[in-house]
Amino acid sequence: MPEKVLLTSREIGRALARIAHEIVEKNKGAEDVVLVGMRTRGVPLAKRIAEIIEGFEGNPIPVGTLDIGLYRDDISPSELNPANQSHTDIPTSIADRRVILVDDVLYTGRSIRAAMDALMDMGRPSSIQLAVLIDRGHRELPIRADYVGKNIPSSQDEEIQVQLEEIDGVDEVVIGSLANRQLIRGN
C-alpha cells in the first residue's frame, strides 16, 4: 500500500484550533492549565495549541517538554544512553495544576502510561488530560484521549506518521504499510 495523506497542513491547523477551544471550554478558561508535549512531535503540537489559546484568551500558557525514556516498559535500563537522557523541561510546577499532556499519535497507550508516571514523579497535578492529534485505536491499556484531532481506524500492519514543519519541514499526516516501509529502508 503506497503512502496516503490523511491530513494536510490546513486540516492539522483546524484540528489543533478545535482542540484548543475544547481545552478552554472543558476547563472553563485556561487558568492553572499547563501544556506538556511528549518528545518529539508532541512538543511542537503543544506549543501550537498554547499559541492558539493565548490568541483568544489573552494570557500565555506554560508549555513544557516531557521525555519518557526512563519510564518506558519496552527498553531495559541497560539499553538507555545516559547522554541522551532527560530532555524534560517543564517551566513551572505542575502541583495542583491542570496538565494537558500532548502527543501526536495515540496507539497502545503505553507511552501515555509512561508519561503519567513521569508527571507524577514531578508533583501531583489536580488533573491530567490527554490531547492527541491522531487516535488510531488498538489500545493495550485503558487509556483514552480527552481531545482528539482525528480518529483514524487503522490495521496493525499500517503505520501512521505525523510530520511537522518544525521537525520534518512539512505538515501532514500519512498512512502507509509497515511492510512497504521496511522494504524501502532495507530492513
Side-chain angles (χ1 to χ4, degrees):
M1 170 177 130
E3 283 188 350
K4 176 183 171 189
V5 175
L6 298 174
L7 291 178
T8 64
S9 177
R10 176 179 243 161
E11 292 167 323
I12 290 171
R14 280 196 298 260
L16 294 178
R18 187 177 62 255
I19 289 170
H21 282 83
E22 289 174 1
I23 288 170
V24 171
E25 184 177 327
K26 180 175 182 171
N27 291 286
K28 296 177 178 46
E31 191 175 315
D32 292 328
V33 168
V34 177
L35 294 174
V36 177
M38 291 175 58
R39 289 195 67 234
T40 297
R41 287 170 181 79
V43 175
L45 292 173
K47 289 177 181 177
R48 290 184 194 186
I49 292 168
E51 287 173 8
I52 295 166
I53 292 172
E54 183 177 349
F56 58 81
E57 284 292 296
N59 296 321
I61 306 297
V63 179
T65 300
L66 183 64
D67 184 344
I68 63 165
L70 294 173
Y71 294 86
R72 290 180 52 176
D73 64 3
D74 60 341
I75 297 177
S76 72
S78 63
E79 293 178 272
L80 294 171
N81 180 352
N84 294 333
Q85 294 301 307
S86 202
H87 296 294
T88 295
D89 178 24
I90 301 177
T92 186
S93 171
I94 63 168
D96 298 319
R97 305 285 297 267
R98 291 174 284 181
V99 173
I100 314 296
L101 189 59
V102 181
D103 201 9
D104 58 348
V105 178
L106 176 55
Y107 184 34
T108 64
R110 292 187 175 280
S111 293
I112 303 305
R113 185 222 34 96
M116 290 190 300
D117 288 348
L119 287 171
M120 294 306 284
D121 280 353
M122 291 178 224
R124 191 177 193 295
S126 63
S127 69
I128 299 174
Q129 299 166 34
L130 176 60
V132 297
L133 182 59
I134 304 296
D135 184 344
R136 65 172 291 189
H138 302 287
R139 227 62 89 236
E140 294 175 6
L141 299 172
I143 291 174
R144 69 167 184 78
D146 299 278
Y147 314 100
V148 177
K150 186 164 181 84
N151 287 294
I152 300 177
S154 61
S155 87
Q156 292 183 330
D157 301 6
E158 294 172 313
E159 179 181 42
I160 293 180
Q161 193 173 52
V162 173
Q163 298 173 342
L164 298 175
E165 183 71 38
E166 297 90 336
I167 297 165
D168 308 296
V170 64
D171 275 351
E172 66 182 10
V173 177
V174 297
I175 188 169
S177 166
L178 279 176
N180 284 350
R181 185 169 296 278
Q182 289 171 349
L183 285 174
I184 291 168
R185 290 183 182 155
N187 293 336

